[in-house]
Amino acid sequence: MPGGHDQTLRPFLWRAETLYEDTEIVSRTHEGIERYTYDEYGDRTAQLAHALTEGGIEEGDRVATFCWNHHRHFETYFAVPTIGAQLHTINPLLPDEHIRFIVQNAEDRTIFVDHSLFPKLAGAIADADDEFDQVDRVVAMGETVPEGADDLPVDIVAYEDFVEGHPTEYDWPDIDEDQSAGMCYTSGTTGMPKGVEYTHKMLWSHTMASLTPQGIPMADDDVVMPVVPMFHVNAWGMPFTATAGGSKHVYPGPSPEPEDIANLIENEGVTITAGVPTVWMGLQDYMQDNDVDLSTLDTVIVGGSAAPESMIRWFDDHDVTLLHAWGMTEMSPLGSVSHLKSDLENADYETQIDRRSKQGLTVPGVEFKVVDDSGEEVPHDGDAFGELWIRGPWVTKEYFERPEANEEDFEDGWLKTGDIVTVDTDGYLQIVDRAKDVIKSGGEWISSVELENAIMAHDDVAEATVIGVPHEKWQERPVAFVVPGENADESTLDEEVMDLLREDYPKWWLPDDIVYIEEVPKTATGKFSKKDLREEYAGQSLIEETEVPEDAAPDDD
């Protein structure tokens, strides 16, 4: 390669420990708050690299983590790929069957596990046949091994014993930029999860794009707290971006509650944080009864699913910018961010809210097109619907060992995302629905996402999701599942919600029924699980009337 230096992760580590050796890394663990500097982080990362290589890990081997967000997990982020191995983060919220499948499919050699997650991993191993046969060891993330470790049919060692005594310098090898650095599996909502591999060049490119003003830039005066799990697409790449930028890291540890998140923001001066909308709903609820100082917080990144418009306004009222981002496991994951274009900086507030509530503008390096059912590209008019196809240097071109999925989801270098979108005249993407979730009623499409966001704008609605249920005349009709707020009056809430929807949507969009539930089921990544609701209510008659009134038909405006 001209210039003699490949695009790998190693320069990010070098820059942080060389230029920002005194910048802190703070971590909430089961042992309490831990803090150290980039200089010490570099030492410990080198020790871990020695421990792995002396433990038999070679170039191309996969090392798995079964962990929450903390400093030891962060040490694997650079130690594993920078020796030429591949970091495979496992979502511990997946079913045991899926965990066994992906460990065997990835051929993991070593597994790092948190104490709080050890029973989950041990349970998956106990019911295994030969899925864990290639695993050489399990490393418990702490100073001790958890109770019950002796019953595990594989060697287990405490993390601190594993790294202790090893040199604090490492002669990092020259790694080819096309060497696999990471691996993450999709959550497998249909069938078994699909593996996505990330090369060094993909993660390098993703990091550099994130650092641009059109991405999610992080600088040496930022304090970055990823609440999005590190097992979910590398915490949206934030540990790499924050390291490259020389930012202070704050990791919220195992199963953080709203109080933990609030305390870390206050005590550590967090400026940038990120998570799915349910995380920030929890913080909003907590702040109703507790004083929380958000004065240092500049930006909250929301992804995974759309944030209700009311949430954007709530953070604005607290002088915090909520920034929509969109991406996928297949994209490392960043695809678009809802920054305002310069010509919208002086637009009225409602216009700005409209753009900010969308998934935003694609980041530099990513190309997209929107394709309808006939294979034709649709215009960028804010009305035409189609499936989003995307490509770029950090977008995968294939799944790991899944030829049937590769044939279905990729075409001529494009990833078919499965997201149904519109693009407005300013170029802002808006996810209308997942292809499998869009409601088709009378030959027309209804966006379940739009209805959900509108319903959650009601002050007495805590959570809401909308699914399509079969209808004998209209093919499908929308039904809303609502979690009432603590002080909600269900006797009047139905009509209040419907009145709210009537303000913006035609009659044929309105849900035919509202079902009150205690909690919307969640996927392993914290998104609303419509699949679970469909299965739970399959065959039940949710809609009392089998005929939608004629004035509510899809052809009526």
Side-chain angles (χ1 to χ4, degrees):
M1 173 179 172
H5 191 67
D6 278 6
Q7 296 169 348
T8 69
L9 295 174
R10 183 163 63 92
F12 301 149
L13 173 62
W14 174 88
R15 185 175 191 272
E17 61 180 337
T18 302
L19 303 183
Y20 300 105
E21 64 270 23
D22 294 328
T23 297
E24 282 190 317
I25 296 163
V26 181
S27 177
R28 171 181 166 266
T29 74
H30 68 278
E31 297 160 342
I33 296 292
E34 303 275 352
R35 64 179 70 237
Y36 59 4
T37 64
Y38 271 129
D39 184 53
E40 294 167 297
Y41 173 79
D43 291 346
R44 285 177 58 86
T45 301
Q47 288 182 300
L48 176 56
H50 280 290
L52 289 167
T53 52
E54 292 184 21
I57 296 299
E58 299 177 349
E59 183 173 321
D61 286 342
R62 294 189 186 92
V63 174
T65 60
F66 205 75
C67 304
W68 297 108
N69 297 16
H70 51 73
H71 67 295
R72 294 185 180 101
H73 197 179
F74 177 44
E75 287 165 11
T76 70
Y77 263 55
F78 278 95
V80 174
T82 311
I83 65 172
Q86 189 175 5
L87 181 67
H88 169 208
T89 56
I90 300 176
N91 185 338
L93 306 180
L94 290 173
D96 288 356
E97 179 185 8
H98 289 192
I99 291 168
R100 289 192 291 270
F101 168 79
I102 64 178
V103 166
Q104 184 180 55
N105 188 240
E107 298 181 335
D108 294 319
R109 293 282 311 281
T110 293
I111 301 177
F112 290 83
V113 61
D114 278 349
H115 280 59
S116 63
L117 296 172
F118 177 77
K120 172 73 170 178
L121 179 64
I125 293 176
D127 293 333
D129 293 324
D130 57 0
E131 291 93 343
F132 288 82
D133 286 355
Q134 81 283 349
V135 177
D136 297 325
R137 75 181 58 79
V138 170
V139 181
M141 288 295 207
E143 298 178 355
T144 61
V145 296
E147 187 177 344
D150 293 341
D151 299 329
L152 210 63
V154 63
D155 291 340
I156 185 167
V157 61
Y159 185 92
E160 295 304 324
D161 291 337
F162 188 56
V163 301
E164 185 180 11
H166 288 290
T168 56
E169 294 184 0
Y170 192 91
D171 185 14
W172 302 106
D174 290 328
I175 301 296
D176 189 281
E177 60 191 20
D178 293 322
Q179 169 70 34
S180 293
M183 190 176 202
C184 187
Y185 281 72
T186 63
S187 55
T189 53
T190 55
M192 284 297 177
K194 293 173 287 191
V196 179
E197 294 188 281
Y198 311 116
T199 65
H200 276 264
K201 187 175 182 178
M202 288 170 69
L203 296 180
W204 185 94
S205 301
H206 184 272
T207 301
M208 297 304 289
S210 296
L211 285 169
T212 66
Q214 295 83 10
I216 306 173
M218 299 172 192
D220 58 13
D221 59 350
D222 278 314
V223 180
V224 178
M225 182 174 72
V227 181
V228 55
M230 294 173 76
F231 57 71
H232 184 50
V233 207
N234 305 318
W236 299 345
M238 293 178 72
F240 296 127
T241 308
T243 303
S247 308
K248 174 180 173 179
H249 296 240
V250 177
Y251 291 104
S255 303
E257 296 293 333
E259 181 179 6
D260 301 314
I261 293 169
N263 288 340
L264 287 169
I265 291 172
E266 283 190 350
N267 297 337
E268 303 301 331
V270 171
T271 62
I272 301 174
T273 185
V276 296
T278 49
V279 169
W280 311 118
M281 291 176 188
L283 181 64
Q284 287 177 289
D285 290 343
Y286 178 77
M287 288 180 63
Q288 288 181 5
D289 301 315
N290 299 274
D291 291 329
V292 179
D293 182 4
L294 299 181
S295 59
T296 66
L297 190 60
D298 294 325
T299 308
V300 170
I301 312 298
V302 173
S305 56
E309 186 179 297
S310 58
M311 183 181 290
I312 301 176
R313 296 177 186 273
W314 185 90
F315 275 108
D316 281 350
D317 291 341
H318 290 80
D319 295 320
V320 178
T321 299
L322 186 149
L323 198 60
H324 255 134
W326 168 83
M328 300 176 68
T329 301
E330 292 86 342
M331 297 173 57
S332 310
L334 189 61
S336 66
V337 185
S338 61
H339 292 292
L340 288 176
K341 283 184 168 181
S342 59
D343 58 0
L344 292 170
E345 292 290 347
N346 296 320
D348 63 90
Y349 184 62
E350 294 305 317
T351 298
Q352 292 184 346
I353 285 288
D354 175 74
R355 302 303 189 275
R356 292 171 56 202
S357 64
K358 298 179 179 181
Q359 280 61 53
L361 306 167
T362 50
V363 295
V366 168
E367 295 178 85
F368 76 89
K369 61 181 179 179
V370 182
V371 179
D372 64 18
D373 288 341
S374 65
E376 298 296 322
E377 290 191 50
V378 305
H380 296 179
D381 58 8
D383 293 320
F385 290 65
E387 182 182 15
L388 179 64
W389 291 20
I390 204 152
R391 66 184 179 188
W394 54 88
V395 181
T396 191
K397 293 179 174 58
E398 62 180 1
Y399 294 114
F400 179 69
E401 295 185 353
R402 295 294 285 275
E404 74 290 346
N406 291 338
E407 186 174 343
E408 180 179 346
D409 294 344
F410 299 90
E411 185 171 320
D412 297 330
W414 292 93
L415 167 68
K416 303 183 212 178
T417 67
D419 282 322
I420 304 300
V421 306
T422 61
V423 184
D424 67 23
T425 54
D426 286 315
Y428 284 78
L429 290 168
Q430 181 171 19
I431 306 295
V432 175
D433 231 325
R434 291 291 292 169
K436 62 180 180 293
D437 292 332
V438 68
I439 300 165
K440 296 179 181 177
S441 184
E444 300 289 340
W445 286 358
I446 298 173
S447 169
S448 65
V449 172
E450 280 198 51
L451 290 177
E452 289 162 3
N453 289 339
I455 294 170
M456 284 191 287
H458 194 289
D459 291 339
D460 288 333
V461 172
E463 294 180 343
T465 193
V466 176
I467 65 172
V469 300
H471 192 278
E472 61 185 69
K473 180 176 180 180
W474 301 112
Q475 184 182 358
E476 284 186 316
R477 291 295 300 154
V479 169
F481 292 82
V482 170
V483 179
E486 187 175 344
N487 300 315
D489 182 354
E490 291 183 22
S491 66
T492 61
L493 188 56
D494 273 33
E495 194 56 35
E496 291 174 8
V497 166
M498 297 300 281
D499 286 344
L500 188 65
L501 295 178
R502 289 187 187 102
E503 294 177 9
D504 295 308
Y505 299 102
K507 294 177 182 178
W508 61 274
W509 270 56
L510 303 185
D512 285 11
D513 202 357
I514 295 177
V515 179
Y516 293 104
I517 56 178
E518 292 185 1
E519 181 182 11
V520 176
K522 311 294 192 301
T523 68
T525 54
K527 301 176 186 177
F528 290 165
S529 179
K530 300 182 185 186
K531 173 176 174 283
D532 287 348
L533 284 173
R534 291 191 191 101
E535 291 177 352
E536 182 177 351
Y537 290 91
Q540 296 188 33
S541 178
L542 294 175
I543 304 174
E544 294 182 5
E545 298 291 336
T546 59
E547 293 290 329
V548 178
E550 288 303 321
D551 64 353
D555 59 0
D556 180 74
D557 292 329

